[in-house]
Amino acid sequence: MEPGMYAYRCTACGKLFHPARAVCRECGGREFEAVPLEGEGTLLTYTRVYALPEGYMKPWLGFGIVEFPNGVRVSGQMNTEDLAVGMKVRATVGTVKEGVGRDYYGFIFEKAAQA
Amino acid sequence: MRKVGIAGVGHTKFGRSEVSLVDMLALAALEALDDAGIRTGRRHGVDQVFVASMGAGILNRQSSVASALVDTLNLQPAMAETVENGPASGASAVKLGYMAIASGMCDVALVVGGELMRVVTGWEATDFVATMLHPDAEYAYGLTLPAFAGMFTRLYMDKYGVTEKDLAMVAVKNHEHAMHNPVAHIQLVPSFHAIIEDEDAPVINPYVAEPLRVYDVCPVSDGAAAVVLCAMDLADRFRKKPVRIAGIGQATDTHVVAEREVPTDLLAVRLAAQRAYAMAGLKPEDIDVAELHDAFTILEIAISEEAGLFPKGEGHLAVRRGETRVGGRIPINTSGGLKAKGHPLGATGVSQIVELVRQLRGEAGGRQVEGARHGLAVNFGGFGNNVVATILSKEE
Amino acid sequence: MIVDKLEQSLRPPETNMPPYPPKYITLASGEKMVVHQASREDVPRLLEAVRPLVTVEKDFYDIVAARLYAELLAYQRYRVKDEYVLVGTIDGVIVGIVNGRMVDDKVGMSYHTVAIKRGLRIGAQLFAAKMEYHMDYLGQQEVLIVAESPIGYRRWMIEYELESRPSTWHELGGVPTHVLTKALWEKHKPMKCTGRRPVPPEMLEVAKKLILPSEYPQIPGFKR
């Protein structure tokens, strides 16, 4: 499967979740449909972490919480040094961690092109 | 329901343990049993043992630690369980001990929390602690507790005007408190000027997770703490008058931090504290001393607000006014807190209770809060997604 | 002193090395650590400061201390080419020692970093001072680095993003060499290297006393 990131919409009430859940928090529904999470979002907060856990051979890495226009908020890595709360960012999908036998992919946000 | 009290407390020196996990737990347990006046041996009278540990399985490759502790202390045939609730394991174990006695199932319970963390490098410890985050949406990204604390701090600064200096004041205060606590890991008071104002500060106190610096983050420590719980109707059996567990509250919040509607709120703290106050029949104004989970300095401020000790967004103002130091209106983290006493995960919740007992008994030495009658502990699991609040009251 | 011919032939040729200008750093405790260059005359004191650590297995203090001990002797008695020693002191008390040497005018070699006092990031400050000496005062292009302690080594390797160069051998042993290049130094220096100059004369006077530590956190109950 092509790596992609999704929100999960409750088929009963339409509430969106990321990541997937077994039960909808709003209505208790148990069926969801995948909705692609892509494009631009707004950076709500961010940090640069200098004490990374085992497995990361880098001096620091940026992280942020991003809100998509559909209201879904996610955490991700930041692939830009130019960070500010409220800035527009663009979601890309890439390898966020190299694992033994498998890599993990997830959101890597970049600064959105100026409109 | 029967009333439940704490008849004895024990606490190892936090820092680096020279002994194994179970031997370290045993040291704290024996001190607590001695403090309660319980004689070990065949007629010990301990009905139930709870051991709180977050990492025994991962860090020490040991499971069923409670059974091992029962064996080394020869407390058979006591019932025994190991309790894991992340960094809130300790308060969860105390809660289960409370329930065991309140229900009438037993009379005396020994609750011991401990963690042997310094067997791994700092990177591995950070990675291990991060395993409590959401595996796909958080942990896989390299996100850690310091990362979430940093992002939370930035929001708090923007919204409420908290500054890096406010955070440094929390750190210095807690390190000063720890100088009066012989079991604290760090026995060194940082200079406020040196860690935040001096031109060398960016290098000697560098960022760990912006805007949090080294002196905003608790150290990695080994350590254990223990309490003996008893039914209050059996208070005469013990050496000292038990301190009563007046209220316990616990609450959960979304596991995934990004999903929280108001990202500066810690709803599980608010609800856990409300439940504990309701059970105790007390209000935040009744609290004389508090141990709040300051794994990061910002958390002491945020928890103090959610627990109702200050209005939301004003905790840092109380820090500036000196209200949260010993001698102030509502001293917080008299033990030194996680920041200076250390944070051996499973031990922390029990250690907070030990400190409150010492305060309410008047045994806290140079850090004693005069006339303390009610104490609050908040033990914070995950990044605030599973929180336990406990209120202790001195029996008159 | 007249050096006889045989001894003369055992001594490596010396390059004229600009001295390391002393500096002081305000540590988290508020204490001021002076970093200054030790001379051959200082070596006996430094040996005494290092000696207790030679038997401390924990955190590889024994290997690092024993090798530093030998390197200090080699410096004092002219057996290593272009070696230098920097020492950190607080109120005159020795809290850490670092050393290294010039391989040639372009390349430096880092030897050892020993922090006696713990918990104040003294090792990190002294390591940075050593890199500062190579890059900013000896004017070198790169420094070759290996280490015995996994924690120290990983810290330097990750935090300075050292370049791996297994094809170049380091004198301390067979582990792959890592290199601090001038570019990496310029990138990381602002976050790693600090301190003020000049050191006030009275502070430097105290630093030069090189008082032996009365306690070693690595050795509980230490008595000299």
Side-chain angles (χ1 to χ4, degrees):
Chain A
M1 196 180 80
E2 187 74 2
M5 300 299 289
Y6 299 90
Y8 299 88
R9 180 188 287 133
C10 172
T11 54
C13 76
K15 173 95 178 160
L16 289 161
F17 295 91
H18 175 89
R21 299 303 207 291
V23 173
C24 172
R25 196 180 300 140
E26 286 303 316
C27 74
R30 299 181 195 180
E31 284 187 29
F32 298 86
E33 57 188 4
V35 181
L37 263 185
E38 54 195 16
E40 287 193 8
T42 306
L43 185 64
L44 299 185
T45 182
Y46 65 91
T47 183
R48 272 164 69 139
V49 176
Y50 296 85
L52 291 164
E54 184 68 27
Y56 290 85
M57 298 296 279
K58 298 176 180 177
W60 59 269
L61 196 55
F63 297 98
I65 294 178
V66 170
E67 183 173 288
F68 285 97
N70 62 9
V72 173
R73 291 177 186 172
V74 303
S75 294
Q77 293 181 359
M78 303 306 300
N79 187 26
T80 167
E81 296 200 18
D82 190 9
L83 294 162
V85 170
M87 73 189 274
K88 294 289 172 206
V89 294
R90 191 173 59 81
T92 69
V93 179
T95 302
V96 290
K97 184 183 195 163
E98 291 175 6
V100 180
R102 73 168 270 210
D103 288 342
Y104 297 86
Y105 64 88
F107 288 114
I108 300 176
F109 293 100
E110 293 177 350
K111 197 175 178 181
Q114 296 292 323
Chain B
M1 265 196 338
R2 288 201 294 178
K3 289 184 175 175
V4 179
I6 299 168
V9 296
H11 202 293
T12 66
K13 167 93 169 74
F14 282 4
R16 191 162 183 164
S17 173
E18 299 296 327
V19 301
S20 73
L21 174 64
V22 170
D23 287 349
M24 185 177 71
L25 295 168
L27 284 173
L30 288 173
E31 190 188 331
L33 292 169
D34 290 346
D35 187 46
I38 290 177
R39 291 179 57 180
T40 45
R42 201 163 281 282
R43 294 162 61 86
H44 58 74
V46 174
D47 303 313
Q48 164 82 56
V49 175
F50 288 104
V51 170
S53 164
M54 175 174 167
I58 295 178
L59 298 175
N60 315 113
R61 201 169 168 73
Q62 181 165 11
S63 55
S64 296
V65 181
S67 308
L69 181 66
V70 164
D71 186 76
T72 200
L73 296 175
N74 270 316
L75 291 174
Q76 307 89 342
M79 300 179 270
E81 271 99 18
T82 307
V83 179
E84 195 270 305
N85 181 24
S89 298
S92 277
V94 172
K95 182 188 109 177
L96 293 173
Y98 175 93
M99 289 163 66
I101 294 171
S103 68
M105 201 165 177
C106 61
D107 294 332
V108 177
L110 172 68
V111 181
V112 191
E115 214 73 61
L116 194 66
M117 302 182 70
R118 294 184 63 118
V119 292
V120 298
T121 65
W123 300 281
E124 289 167 310
T126 302
D127 176 65
F128 153 64
V129 176
T131 60
M132 69 173 143
L133 299 172
H134 192 285
D136 305 320
E138 298 176 335
Y139 174 72
Y141 284 88
L143 280 157
T144 55
L145 277 295
F148 279 111
M151 292 194 282
F152 182 80
T153 304
R154 189 178 303 283
L155 291 165
Y156 234 79
M157 287 178 163
D158 289 353
K159 188 165 178 180
Y160 299 117
V162 175
T163 65
E164 290 192 23
K165 286 188 180 184
D166 295 327
L167 300 179
M169 284 176 79
V170 172
V172 171
K173 166 184 75 76
N174 291 354
H175 280 283
E176 282 171 354
H177 289 170
M179 294 304 281
H180 299 284
N181 185 359
V183 296
H185 180 175
I186 310 289
Q187 302 282 344
L188 178 156
V189 178
S191 146
F192 179 80
H193 174 81
I195 62 171
I196 203 77
E197 294 179 322
D198 194 271
E199 65 182 77
D200 292 332
V203 174
I204 62 106
N205 186 21
Y207 287 116
V208 171
E210 288 173 358
L212 295 174
R213 298 167 179 268
V214 166
Y215 272 90
D216 291 309
V217 181
C218 65
V220 176
S221 313
D222 301 331
V227 294
V228 173
L229 305 186
C230 67
M232 286 303 278
D233 50 73
L234 303 173
D236 310 346
R237 285 198 203 168
F238 303 98
R239 215 157 61 84
K240 294 175 184 170
K241 187 164 194 166
V243 168
R244 192 164 57 85
I245 298 180
I248 297 178
Q250 184 175 11
T252 48
D253 195 355
T254 62
H255 190 192
V256 177
V257 176
E259 279 196 328
R260 304 202 182 143
E261 252 169 69
V262 182
T264 44
D265 283 354
L266 295 171
L267 291 180
V269 175
R270 194 178 302 170
L271 196 52
Q274 283 170 0
R275 287 172 173 168
Y277 288 127
M279 180 171 161
L282 294 171
K283 297 191 196 60
E285 305 86 89
D286 298 318
I287 300 299
D288 302 305
V289 55
E291 288 286 304
L292 309 180
H293 196 109
D294 58 330
F296 309 97
T297 47
I298 186 68
L299 287 184
E300 178 175 310
I301 291 172
I303 294 171
S304 73
E305 298 164 3
E306 299 289 8
L309 302 177
F310 309 105
K312 186 73 186 171
E314 295 183 20
H316 64 293
L317 303 177
V319 174
R320 287 182 198 171
R321 291 192 295 260
E323 291 179 21
T324 58
R325 59 174 58 252
V326 171
R329 189 169 66 79
I330 165 74
I332 294 175
N333 288 326
T334 56
S335 68
L338 284 61
K339 176 70 200 78
K341 183 185 56 185
H343 181 25
L345 305 155
T348 286
V350 183
S351 168
Q352 292 178 319
I353 304 284
V354 169
E355 175 67 8
L356 293 183
V357 169
R358 289 190 169 144
Q359 286 287 355
L360 299 182
R361 281 178 177 174
E363 294 176 352
R367 61 187 196 281
Q368 180 66 46
V369 176
E370 291 309 321
R373 293 181 57 232
H374 304 291
L376 167 74
V378 175
N379 193 190
F380 188 87
F383 193 75
N385 66 305
N386 194 333
V387 178
V388 184
T390 309
I391 296 173
L392 304 187
S393 293
K394 184 178 179 173
E395 284 291 273
E396 300 305 333
Chain C
M1 188 170 69
I2 298 166
V3 177
D4 71 36
K5 211 168 169 190
L6 179 59
E7 171 62 20
Q8 195 64 62
S9 65
L10 290 172
R11 290 187 179 186
E14 280 188 75
T15 311
N16 189 25
M17 291 161 69
Y20 179 79
K23 67 175 179 181
Y24 69 98
I25 303 168
T26 305
L27 302 174
S29 58
E31 296 164 298
K32 309 244 185 293
M33 175 170 76
V34 176
V35 185
H36 78 279
Q37 188 161 11
S39 67
R40 287 193 166 84
E41 291 69 46
D42 295 328
V43 169
R45 297 289 279 184
L46 300 181
L47 292 175
E48 272 192 80
V50 172
R51 196 178 297 125
L53 295 171
V54 166
T55 54
V56 177
E57 276 185 45
K58 206 177 257 181
D59 295 339
F60 296 84
Y61 266 96
D62 51 357
I63 295 182
V64 173
R67 300 185 89 166
L68 174 63
Y69 195 95
E71 290 154 9
L72 287 167
L73 285 173
Y75 167 57
Q76 182 195 24
R77 284 148 73 177
Y78 301 90
R79 287 298 178 271
V80 172
K81 182 175 179 295
D82 297 337
E83 189 180 342
Y84 66 88
V85 179
L86 306 183
V87 55
T89 57
I90 297 174
D91 297 329
V93 177
I94 300 164
V95 294
I97 302 169
V98 287
N99 67 333
R101 78 176 193 92
M102 284 209 317
V103 176
D104 56 38
D105 59 344
K106 296 271 189 304
V107 179
M109 187 170 287
S110 172
Y111 279 172
H112 286 99
T113 301
V114 168
I116 296 172
K117 193 176 167 91
R118 314 272 318 249
L120 290 170
R121 305 175 76 84
I122 283 170
Q125 302 311 325
L126 290 175
F127 181 83
K130 163 157 83 168
M131 297 304 130
E132 180 190 33
Y133 187 33
H134 282 287
M135 293 297 186
D136 296 353
Y137 296 100
L138 298 176
Q140 301 198 288
Q141 292 304 308
E142 47 187 48
V143 184
L144 310 181
I145 299 164
V146 294
E148 282 89 0
S149 144
I151 292 190
Y153 188 40
R154 271 200 57 174
R155 179 157 292 149
W156 315 145
M157 210 156 68
I158 295 173
E159 294 186 3
Y160 287 85
E161 298 179 279
L162 300 182
E163 189 182 304
S164 174
R165 200 178 299 161
S167 55
T168 303
W169 286 68
H170 191 290
E171 284 162 9
L172 291 182
V175 285
T177 298
H178 283 75
V179 182
L180 180 76
T181 63
K182 183 88 178 153
L184 287 172
W185 172 243
E186 294 303 333
K187 178 177 175 188
H188 292 292
K189 182 165 86 171
M191 294 307 293
K192 295 288 173 211
C193 188
T194 189
R196 260 162 281 184
R197 296 186 171 90
V199 179
E202 56 281 13
M203 196 191 281
L204 190 58
E205 215 42 51
V206 173
K208 285 181 172 168
K209 287 183 185 170
L210 296 179
I211 301 162
L212 295 173
S214 59
E215 51 186 55
Y216 288 74
Q218 303 85 351
I219 310 169
F222 172 84
K223 287 263 186 306
R224 192 172 294 281

